[in-house]
Amino acid sequence: MKCIVESRKFRLWIEGAEILKGVDFCAPRNSISVIVGPSGSGKSTFLKSINRIIEIHGSIRRDGDILLDGVSVYSLDPVEVRRRVAMVFQIPNPFPHLSIFENVALPARVNGVAKNKSELNELVRWALEKAMLWDEVRDRLDKKPGVLSGGQKQRLCLARALAMKPEVLLLDEPTANIDVINAKKIEESLRELKNEVTIILVTHNPNQALRIGDFVNVMYDGRIIESGPVREIVFRARNEIALKLLSEGW
Ligand code: ADP
Ligand code: MG
């Protein structure tokens, strides 16, 4: 199976503490790979290692590698990596002082995704439609995101990530802080998006993993201890810890 993101024995130390202890991972192209596991097991750290946002936080040391389409992300320009691998965080973080339109347009413009005004308008509309937000904001694109609900803000962040036309989309518990209706919209959007972008989703919700995941990876204490097609893993977890986590929730 061809992996668009692949890690091999990836280890990471933050301020001298070993957080990731040899992560083997593969995200097949145009699929949704879910990462589950208890709090503190290293899920967010691993996502941030894929697009190198982890380096913004401070002093890290690593061993092993993470490949993006066969090339080490650590051999590429980090700015290019973050354009090709976009991220949506747990707490919706739109730019508060920019309009709804500019929230989506700015990263696209900065990264040169749209060449002129009409391309940019098209792109913003496309991204908002994909994030299932267009109908709710089309009449107030000039307003600040403060007028939106938490769930709408998160869909705006999804649109902002999509407007960069990334190859990979990382989502770190994107529905943990929003209501069920908004969470469903995001799930529906992701299901459709996987035809255009490879998705890696961290979730705390086993049902969400079942509903939208193609592959599941169980992370525990800095390693992925079980991985495979969702149904196979959920119903026949081989590893005892994985089985416990999956049956008792995480
Ligand atoms: P998860 O997302 O699975 O809950 P995290 O990746 O956030 O786990 O954290 C994994 C471990 O790394 C935790 O023990 C956490 O305290 C530690 N950690 C995360 N970020 C930092 C940091 N910037 N500095 C020091 N330790 C960190
Ligand atoms: Mg986390």
Side-chain angles (χ1 to χ4, degrees):
M1 194 156 32
K2 186 151 173 18
C3 318
I4 182 160
V5 173
E6 180 175 14
S7 76
R8 295 184 189 149
K9 301 207 170 13
F10 186 76
R11 297 169 75 191
L12 185 102
W13 292 259
I14 302 177
E15 314 289 348
E18 187 176 13
I19 309 296
L20 301 177
K21 302 176 179 175
V23 178
D24 292 308
F25 173 80
C26 166
R29 196 180 286 278
N30 292 12
S31 63
I32 300 184
S33 293
V34 175
I35 302 176
V36 299
S39 187
S41 58
K43 305 180 299 295
S44 298
T45 303
F46 181 57
L47 282 192
K48 290 187 213 157
S49 303
I50 298 174
N51 69 350
R52 299 184 55 176
I53 281 185
I54 194 75
E55 289 164 60
I56 294 170
H57 295 309
S59 145
I60 64 148
R61 183 160 72 82
R62 69 179 172 89
D63 188 41
D65 219 337
I66 300 179
L67 308 180
L68 174 61
D69 214 4
V71 177
S72 166
V73 295
Y74 290 93
S75 73
L76 299 170
D77 174 2
V79 176
E80 182 197 339
V81 175
R82 287 169 208 145
R83 184 186 60 71
R84 294 172 62 190
V85 184
M87 187 155 182
V88 174
F89 297 88
Q90 187 170 351
I91 311 279
N93 60 346
F95 305 123
H97 305 299
L98 295 182
S99 67
I100 291 171
F101 180 91
E102 277 302 317
N103 260 273
V104 183
L106 183 72
R109 198 187 285 126
V110 168
N111 288 294
V113 181
K115 286 176 201 69
N116 53 47
K117 183 73 186 154
S118 78
E119 265 188 38
L120 190 64
N121 288 342
E122 273 301 304
L123 181 68
V124 168
R125 179 178 175 152
W126 171 85
L128 287 167
E129 279 177 348
K130 287 285 172 187
M132 301 193 63
L133 187 60
W134 175 251
D135 289 342
E136 292 158 62
V137 299
R138 59 186 301 169
D139 299 328
R140 44 181 178 157
L141 291 171
D142 56 334
K143 297 277 188 300
K144 302 278 174 358
V147 301
L148 302 175
S149 73
Q152 287 173 324
K153 283 188 184 125
Q154 190 63 311
R155 283 183 280 140
L156 181 62
C157 294
L158 177 59
R160 178 176 67 183
L162 292 173
M164 293 199 295
K165 292 274 179 158
E167 293 157 58
V168 178
L169 181 61
L170 309 175
L171 300 119
D172 194 356
E173 302 192 40
T175 61
N177 290 293
I178 63 179
D179 64 86
V180 178
I181 292 171
N182 273 287
K184 291 271 181 232
K185 283 193 175 153
I186 288 189
E187 286 183 12
E188 198 181 329
S189 164
L190 296 181
R191 236 188 258 117
E192 288 181 13
L193 275 167
K194 71 178 176 183
N195 298 319
E196 351 201 347
V197 61
T198 302
I199 294 171
I200 304 175
L201 168 73
V202 169
T203 179
H204 247 78
N205 181 339
N207 292 322
Q208 185 169 61
L210 266 180
R211 277 195 301 268
I212 64 169
D214 298 305
F215 299 94
V216 67
N217 302 269
V218 180
M219 190 162 237
Y220 185 78
D221 192 22
R223 292 184 185 86
I224 286 175
I225 57 167
E226 188 74 79
S227 59
V230 162
R231 271 157 219 287
E232 198 177 293
I233 293 298
V234 171
F235 296 120
R236 298 191 278 114
R238 285 161 302 200
N239 182 299
E240 210 173 299
I241 303 168
L243 189 61
K244 194 166 180 305
L245 289 170
L246 289 163
S247 57
E248 293 174 6
W250 44 73

